[in-house]
Amino acid sequence: EAQVTQNPRYLITVTGKKLTVTCSQNMNHEYMSWYRQDPGLGLRQIYYSMNVEVTDKGDVPEGYKVSRKEKRNFPLILESPSPNQTSLYFCASSAQLAGGVGGELFFGEGSRLTVL
Amino acid sequence: DAKTTQPPSMDCAEGRAANLPCNHSTISGNEYVYWYRQIHSQGPQYIIHGLKNNETNEMASLIITEDRKSSTLILPHATLRDTAVYYCIVPPRPAGSNYKLTFGKGTLLTVNP
């Protein structure tokens, strides 16, 4: 079954304690992306990756890091989490069609993170 | 990349057609229009996409105006399970551009019994 898997689904942590949210897709997609969703603000893009070793900032990258060492994985790293990073996080992937980004985006189920 | 404008909310009676508008007046000639929906706090789900012709699939129909500056997503017989936030997006094309994919706030469609 085609899917994007995120872990953990729920996490409560404390300020400053490094954490990683993993994202894995089994569709051999080139494009992967992280979003955060906050009430009243919609889905905002944090980082995206066009392929292995190719990443770039989205609209709200501050406080986050990513890496893309393998095609299937795109972890989101919070080196020193702060309360303003409390949010619902989504990972997504899509096939990069010839000529550019497009195609159906597949989303994970979300990771709800609370930073105390 | 083309920005989109959607109404923040709409209501629809169960069994009736839901018509969700989207304005994308700055769309380029080779950019597609995509629609997704998000039920409660689940991951968004792809619905349909199109370039210039009208499109239909098992979920919905997409009507794109001739000048491509706006589109309408049509759910022909809305059910209570169609209550969700609907996002209209226009993914950027390549050739040196970035690949930011902005979703915005979408339209909250409430289907009433």
Side-chain angles (χ1 to χ4, degrees), chain A residues 57-74:
Chain A
K57 297 177 181 179
D59 293 317
V60 288
E62 295 78 20
Y64 304 94
K65 287 176 59 176
V66 292
S67 68
R68 189 89 181 274
K69 294 185 172 60
E70 305 168 281
K71 200 171 188 179
R72 64 182 294 126
N73 296 322
F74 190 45

Side-chain angles (χ1 to χ4, degrees), chain B residues 42-57:
Chain B
Q42 299 176 18
Q45 174 192 22
Y46 165 83
I47 301 173
I48 198 168
H49 73 281
L51 182 63
K52 57 178 71 174
N53 298 319
N54 299 338
E55 303 287 345
T56 296
N57 62 20

Side-chain angles (χ1 to χ4, degrees), chain A residues 31 35 37 40-43 45 48 50 57-59 88 90 98-105 107-109 112, chain B residues 34 36 38 40-46 49 87 89 91-95 97-105:
Chain A
Y31 184 88
Y35 291 88
Q37 186 169 39
L41 296 178
L43 279 163
Q45 192 174 38
Y48 62 90
M50 296 304 298
K57 297 177 181 179
D59 293 317
L88 178 59
F90 289 102
V101 174
E104 177 182 352
L105 264 176
F107 282 83
E109 294 181 317
R112 188 169 292 280
Chain B
Y34 280 77
Y36 291 80
Q38 184 178 24
H40 194 44
S41 294
Q42 299 176 18
Q45 174 192 22
Y46 165 83
H49 73 281
Y87 298 97
I89 66 168
R93 297 297 290 187
S97 64
N98 64 60
Y99 299 106
K100 289 183 182 181
L101 205 50
T102 302
F103 270 72
K105 300 179 184 179

Side-chain angles (χ1 to χ4, degrees), chain B residues 48-75:
Chain B
I48 198 168
H49 73 281
L51 182 63
K52 57 178 71 174
N53 298 319
N54 299 338
E55 303 287 345
T56 296
N57 62 20
E58 65 278 4
M59 291 182 69
S61 295
L62 175 61
I63 308 296
I64 302 174
T65 58
E66 192 168 341
D67 63 9
R68 302 212 326 120
K69 292 185 177 181
S70 66
S71 60
T72 301
L73 179 75
I74 300 172
L75 307 178

